[in-house]
Amino acid sequence: MKTVLITGASRGIGAACAELFADNGYFTVINYNRSEERAEELRRKIEADCGRCMTVKADVTDRGEVRRMISLCEYHGGGIDVLINNAGIDFYGTFEQTEPHVWDEVINTNLTGVYNVTYAALERIKESPCGRIINISSVWGTYGAACEVAYSASKAAVAGFTRSLAREAGPSGVTVNCIAPGFIETEMNARFDEAAVKDVIYRTPLCRTGTAYDVALTALFLSSEAASFVTGQVIGVDGGFI
Ligand code: NDP
């Protein structure tokens, strides 16, 4: 049985990935930071559907907690075959409103968090016969977004991280790819009103917003044998927005 570690899997895109990977026979490690009850609810749901999983609390910005999480993956999952770096936060406000502590929090979570977990997990992933790292970037990392400078910068950096690590990890048989979702209906976007959502839909060739399941399906594809010759890519799951 392969093991997948999904950061930020208590809700949204990460939770959809957890359900889909568990349904597809993975031992699924559900990482959460604050939403313990949501993570436990998801664990119970997966187990009720005969899936195998566990929850692990770790703040991706805390290297000690991250190391402990990787040890637990080894102990209970026998290693790590697939790592999905999904945990992320956003900040919506002008550049002038992006105070230094806000900048630090966004970069620490969205970029340094990806580094922290990958750094701690890479040796284990290299031991897998089919190691995969999937990072969740964003269309805004490519396109740029007004009022989301820190977020967009962090997500652009995740794409650069992906392309570079793919070159380094390729000879070890590990693929490293990035998914750049468009507007996905999760709590992260709950602040946008109906008019803003309509505007996004108007600018999206497939005429709808995305779902967490759309992103999870692409993550499953990148983890599959069908994607064994795919690495260093940034794959848009955005309905054609870019
Ligand atoms: P949600 O806000 O719904 O969920 C965010 C998840 O990240 C939660 O599970 C949360 O865990 C976790 N998280 C946040 N900070 C930390 C931390 N320090 N350590 C561990 N976990 C943490 O967001 P989405 O599901 O929408 O987003 C998931 C990813 O997809 C993010 O990286 C986001 O940037 C990206 N994305 C989202 C898009 C969208 O339109 N929704 C578009 C493009 C990219 P907890 O609640 O337990 O603290």
Side-chain angles (χ1 to χ4, degrees), residues 135 159 162-163 166 176-180 222 229-236:
N135 299 319
T162 299
R163 291 190 193 96
V176 189
N177 291 290
C178 214
I179 298 175
L222 288 171
F229 201 51
V230 179
T231 198
Q233 302 304 307
V234 178
I235 298 181

Side-chain angles (χ1 to χ4, degrees), residues 19 47 81 126 138 144 174 220 229:
E19 278 200 62
E47 287 176 349
D81 300 282
K126 281 182 179 172
S138 164
V174 176
L220 188 67
F229 201 51

Side-chain angles (χ1 to χ4, degrees), residues 115-163:
Y115 161 80
N116 289 341
V117 181
T118 307
Y119 184 78
L122 188 58
E123 282 314 306
R124 301 290 79 77
I125 299 169
K126 281 182 179 172
E127 285 163 10
S128 166
C130 48
R132 302 278 203 270
I133 298 172
I134 299 161
N135 299 319
I136 307 297
S137 175
S138 164
V139 283
W140 304 130
T142 311
Y143 193 78
C147 295
E148 289 186 90
V149 171
Y151 180 79
S152 303
S154 71
K155 294 300 185 178
V158 165
F161 176 103
T162 299
R163 291 190 193 96

Side-chain angles (χ1 to χ4, degrees), residues 51-100:
R52 289 196 53 219
C53 64
M54 70 178 203
T55 57
V56 183
K57 195 258 176 236
D59 178 341
V60 295
T61 69
D62 182 321
R63 294 187 178 128
E65 290 189 13
V66 166
R67 277 197 300 273
R68 177 182 162 274
M69 172 168 73
I70 301 305
S71 301
L72 288 171
C73 290
E74 275 183 84
Y75 186 76
H76 295 280
I80 303 171
D81 300 282
V82 180
L83 166 62
I84 304 180
N85 280 310
N86 165 77
I89 56 169
D90 68 344
F91 170 73
Y92 193 80
T94 63
F95 183 68
E96 286 83 353
Q97 289 166 340
T98 310
E99 292 175 34

